[in-house]
Amino acid sequence: MTIWHELVQWLGLALAVYMVSVFVNIGLMGRFEAGLVVLTLLALNIFINGIYIEATFFLIGILLGFFALAAALMAEYLYTIILPITIGVAALLVWIAKKRL
């Protein structure tokens, strides 16, 4: 893979990120969704670089993809996870406060 192929690949990523920012500015996408799309594009670009250049990039691309997936799942189930934790911490604080009295 020559340097020109790599430059064109990264330029393509930059243009895709610019397109996503245009979508955000005109109201087609929210900022969070756009961030996930950009992270996924970056993961794909680094993954492809890992295939052609260095195997380390392959693993980094996979890891970034998992981060994007984890962020999406956390956003989907945020209230399901945070609400019980908040209630548990509040109950623990009340129990500690009563124990000290």
Side-chain angles (χ1 to χ4, degrees):
M1 186 169 187
T2 65
I3 189 73
W4 294 109
H5 289 119
E6 193 172 336
L7 286 174
V8 170
Q9 181 180 349
W10 286 103
L11 179 65
L13 174 66
L15 290 174
V17 169
Y18 175 74
M19 286 175 52
V20 170
S21 72
V22 169
F23 295 158
V24 170
N25 288 336
I26 63 176
L28 288 176
M29 293 179 86
R31 291 178 187 263
F32 180 74
E33 293 84 4
L36 288 176
V37 169
V38 168
L39 183 59
T40 304
L41 287 170
L42 181 64
L44 177 63
N45 203 34
I46 292 175
F47 178 82
I48 291 171
N49 277 332
I51 293 172
Y52 292 111
I53 297 171
E54 171 71 32
T56 306
F57 292 131
F58 182 79
L59 297 174
I60 293 171
I62 290 173
L63 187 63
L64 283 175
F66 282 135
F67 284 158
L69 182 63
L73 290 174
M74 284 295 288
E76 178 72 23
Y77 298 108
L78 182 67
Y79 296 113
T80 307
I81 296 168
I82 294 298
L83 188 61
I85 290 172
T86 304
I87 291 171
V89 168
L92 180 67
L93 290 175
V94 167
W95 180 74
I96 290 171
K98 285 186 176 186
K99 188 175 181 181
R100 287 190 177 183
L101 295 177

